[in-house]
Amino acid sequence: MSLMEGMLHIMDENAKAQGFGRVRTVILEIGKLAGVEVEALRFAFEAVTEGSIAEGATLEIEEPQGLGWCVECERESSIETRYDPCPLCGKVPLAITGGTEMRVKALDVE
Amino acid sequence: MCTTCGCGQGEGRIEGDEHPHAHADGMIHSHAHMHEHGIGQRRMVQIERNLLEKNDAFAKLNREQFAEKGIFVLNLVSSPGSGKTTLLTATIERLKDRLAIAVIEGDQQTTHDADRIRATGVPAIQINTGKGCHLDAHMVGHAAERLNLPQDSVLMIENVGNLVCPSAFDLGEAHKVVILSVTEGEDKPLKYPDMFAAADLLVLNKVDLLPYLKFEVDQCLDFAHRVNPRLKIIRTSAVTGEGMAAWTDWIESGARAAKNSRSEAPSKPPCHA
């Protein structure tokens, strides 16, 4: 819910700065390691956008893959969890380099 | 690569660039409609802003204010029922003669916990988050202001019992401390890795109950270190006092460090809250 309120805030600021009055589509980027339940976010989206410039808008959620960097192999691998070992050498944990995003990526507006 | 919605953008290392993609409701579609903006003012605006930026800005402000006054701030996080409040009251009893301590209590409802803290004689303020499941930096900033914290004090923030959301919300603390009781599963660090990754210290609580349980301490700590290899660990029991000295020493050394970095910082006009 707080994340969606953060989104509304960003939307309102941009509406003023860039002069739009209506948001048709919201594109969020929620990484697979961000610890955010995407379905809960969809539910909260409808609740917070009611009566806002994004009422009735479509929500698109991109979910970037988790990525981890192994200092031994000097290689990046895709991972499903924070504690997945390096697929090459088995080292745990990898330094997380992707998949923790929680961003408003773009808005389709008019 | 789709430049309109930006998925798989730039780096070229994201596997399975999924256009079209399936939604949880089973609907499959592509973003093609995004590229066909109709007449009128309709357009795509690139935003690229973090959903947590407002919280993060408040957290930065809190952190600056705490640093200015040499206040050592801990954000205590755990599942409900880990023994946080009992540990906290036992901690306060041991430290209150040596350190100025104040507490911010976060719960969805009731002031029970703040009442328990106030019974120890230290100031406490309750934040009821209502529908929210975690504290945020804005609430904490206001609560800290009302507590009128003295210079070189310790502020303990007892977050809402929840191992998920509080991990993402910086409150301006020096450290997140995750409290796990041995009555929970050993695999909590793997089930809730974000929280154990965000914490600097794990307090393994209620260790007096270990003889009656099947809890595998070494396995639990191994799981925790798999998620966060630099996680420090202290085993405590508020009932028997085991480990309490290690825990209070850790707090005192943090408080000393906060005080020292204040007095070494370039002098500023005194802050009258």
Side-chain angles (χ1 to χ4, degrees):
Chain A
M1 202 60 131
S2 309
L3 294 176
M4 289 296 89
E5 280 161 6
M7 176 202 72
L8 264 194
H9 170 75
I10 291 170
M11 237 186 262
D12 287 341
E13 273 193 7
N14 275 277
K16 265 181 231 151
Q18 313 205 30
F20 56 82
R22 192 101 197 110
V23 176
R24 294 295 180 193
T25 307
V26 178
I27 300 164
L28 299 183
E29 194 181 37
I30 305 293
K32 285 191 173 158
L33 302 181
V36 175
E37 183 49 61
V38 165
E39 283 317 298
L41 213 55
R42 288 187 184 282
F43 178 78
F45 178 80
E46 290 205 11
V48 303
T49 51
E50 210 179 292
S52 78
I53 56 166
E55 183 163 350
T58 307
L59 176 62
E60 301 272 347
I61 301 180
E62 303 292 337
E63 297 180 77
Q65 180 71 38
L67 293 171
W69 175 260
C70 177
V71 289
E72 303 293 332
C73 305
E74 301 192 341
R75 266 194 63 169
E76 193 173 55
S77 310
S78 53
I79 49 175
E80 297 300 318
T81 69
R82 279 184 179 274
Y83 47 86
D84 278 359
C86 171
L88 299 170
C89 72
K91 185 183 150 59
V92 185
L94 302 177
I96 307 297
T97 50
T100 59
E101 301 82 355
M102 288 192 226
R103 291 193 294 179
V104 181
K105 191 106 194 157
L107 301 172
D108 181 16
V109 301
E110 58 187 339
Chain B
M1 206 155 301
C2 174
T3 54
T4 308
C5 71
C7 56
Q9 187 202 16
E11 298 96 330
R13 63 188 184 200
I14 297 175
E15 290 185 353
D17 183 10
E18 293 162 342
H19 268 183
H21 59 198
H23 281 240
D25 59 10
M27 194 175 107
I28 298 174
H29 71 111
S30 76
H31 288 285
H33 60 279
M34 297 298 184
H35 307 258
E36 298 162 358
H37 301 306
I39 45 167
Q41 298 296 308
R42 195 149 176 187
R43 64 194 195 274
M44 186 61 71
V45 184
Q46 296 299 318
I47 306 287
E48 306 282 349
R49 281 170 63 180
N50 192 323
L51 291 175
L52 288 169
E53 64 177 26
K54 200 173 168 191
N55 182 74
D56 291 346
F58 281 118
K60 183 168 178 277
L61 198 67
N62 290 350
R63 190 165 280 118
E64 284 165 5
Q65 287 172 351
F66 296 143
E68 224 167 79
K69 294 173 83 176
I71 301 167
F72 182 55
V73 184
L74 296 178
N75 178 1
L76 308 179
V77 291
S78 79
S79 316
S82 65
K84 271 199 309 286
T85 313
T86 303
L87 180 74
L88 200 48
T89 53
T91 307
I92 291 166
E93 291 297 348
R94 284 163 185 266
L95 284 175
K96 67 181 181 186
D97 295 335
R98 301 202 289 276
L99 284 173
I101 302 175
V103 175
I104 293 174
E105 278 290 340
D107 282 299
Q108 277 200 300
Q109 298 293 341
T110 85
T111 59
H112 294 173
D113 283 357
D115 296 341
R116 282 173 68 186
I117 301 295
R118 281 191 284 262
T120 67
V122 308
I125 197 162
Q126 180 85 45
I127 299 176
N128 284 139
T129 53
K131 280 180 243 163
C133 55
H134 57 88
L135 294 175
D136 66 39
H138 182 238
M139 301 170 184
V140 165
H142 279 300
E145 198 175 49
R146 254 181 290 162
L147 280 168
N148 199 11
L149 302 162
Q151 197 161 281
D152 304 333
S153 59
V154 173
L155 174 63
M156 313 267 244
I157 304 168
E158 186 180 336
N159 216 316
V160 179
N162 173 358
L163 280 178
V164 185
C165 310
S167 70
F169 287 81
D170 183 5
L171 305 180
E173 71 273 359
H175 304 284
K176 280 192 177 73
V177 176
V178 62
I179 298 161
L180 178 66
S181 73
V182 297
T183 54
E184 304 171 51
E186 297 88 350
D187 56 352
K188 279 258 168 95
L190 298 188
K191 285 181 172 167
Y192 303 96
D194 298 346
M195 186 61 89
F196 289 83
D200 296 315
L201 173 68
L202 164 61
V203 173
L204 191 65
N205 197 25
K206 305 190 188 177
V207 291
D208 55 298
L209 296 177
L210 279 172
Y212 313 105
L213 301 166
K214 283 186 178 163
F215 189 91
E216 297 286 342
V217 173
D218 290 343
Q219 191 178 40
C220 176
L221 302 185
D222 176 55
F223 287 154
H225 280 141
R226 221 185 276 185
V227 173
N228 179 353
R230 40 166 202 85
L231 188 67
K232 190 179 158 55
I233 288 154
I234 297 177
R235 306 174 193 205
T236 58
S237 163
V239 176
T240 64
E242 183 181 344
M244 289 300 285
W247 161 233
T248 53
D249 285 352
W250 185 82
I251 296 171
E252 284 189 284
S253 86
R256 266 195 306 278
K259 179 183 175 178
N260 292 340
S261 52
R262 172 190 60 79
S263 48
E264 283 159 16
S267 64
K268 286 183 182 172
C271 170
H272 297 292

